[in-house]
């Protein structure tokens, strides 16, 4: 699975980056060191505090985002009494876009639906 997935038109449609889960590289030997140099540069960008947006969610608040279009993480938090927990949920994008297309057909009165990028494959 590539770190950055590019579609047929050359657009970035997905990013998967987790430095704790990078498997062995399947690259020619001459590309190993350049890959790690490029990866280091990418991590420098990802962890640059000037490029970070931090949201302090309060009890009862939630955050929704497309996991394949946004690099995200969590910082430490102070334990509270009563305790809080982080709840996560996933939506199958194929099902989501199918429902969205059907809703558009219903609302737009039969107008051909938009073709949505599906993001990462695999």
């Amino acid at each position: 699975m590539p770190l950055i997935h590019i579609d047929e038109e050359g657009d970035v449609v997905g990013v998967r980056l987790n430095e704790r889960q990078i498997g062995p590289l399947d690259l020619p030997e001459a590309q190993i060191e350049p890959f790690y140099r490029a990866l280091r540069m990418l991590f420098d960008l990802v962890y640059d505090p000037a490029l970070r947006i931090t949201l302090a969610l309060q009890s009862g608040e939630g955050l929704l985002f497309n996991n394949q279009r946004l690099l995200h993480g969590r910082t430490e938090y102070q334990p509270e009494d009563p305790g809080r927990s982080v709840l996560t949920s996933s939506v199958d994008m194929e099902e989501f876009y199918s429902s969205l297309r059907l809703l558009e057909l219903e609302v737009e009165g039969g107008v051909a639906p938009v073709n949505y990028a599906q993001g990462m494959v695999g």
Side-chain angles (χ1 to χ4, degrees), residues 33-112:
E33 287 187 33
F35 172 84
Y36 280 116
R37 278 195 299 273
L39 187 61
R40 178 75 258 161
M41 292 170 61
L42 179 59
F43 284 142
D44 288 345
L45 286 171
V46 168
Y47 290 112
D48 183 343
L51 302 175
R52 181 179 300 159
I53 297 172
T54 303
L55 304 172
L57 298 179
Q58 303 301 312
S59 181
E61 292 181 333
L63 178 65
L64 300 172
F65 56 87
N66 183 334
N67 196 35
Q68 298 179 17
R69 303 288 296 178
L70 176 73
L71 295 175
H72 62 89
R74 290 189 296 269
T75 58
E76 65 181 292
Y77 66 96
Q78 298 301 316
E80 299 176 357
D81 190 21
R84 292 173 42 188
S85 60
V86 176
L87 304 175
T88 63
S89 180
S90 297
V91 173
D92 178 79
M93 295 308 289
E94 298 271 341
E95 182 178 340
F96 173 80
Y97 286 131
S98 176
S99 297
L100 187 57
R101 285 186 192 99
L102 292 173
L103 180 61
E104 285 176 339
L105 282 172
E106 183 179 317
V107 171
E108 299 295 328
V111 175

Side-chain angles (χ1 to χ4, degrees), residues 7-27:
D7 69 9
E8 307 82 36
E9 297 166 1
D11 295 325
V12 174
V13 294
V15 176
R16 288 191 178 169
L17 182 62
N18 184 342
E19 67 274 19
R20 295 173 307 278
Q21 294 181 341
I22 294 176
L25 298 179
D26 185 16
L27 294 173

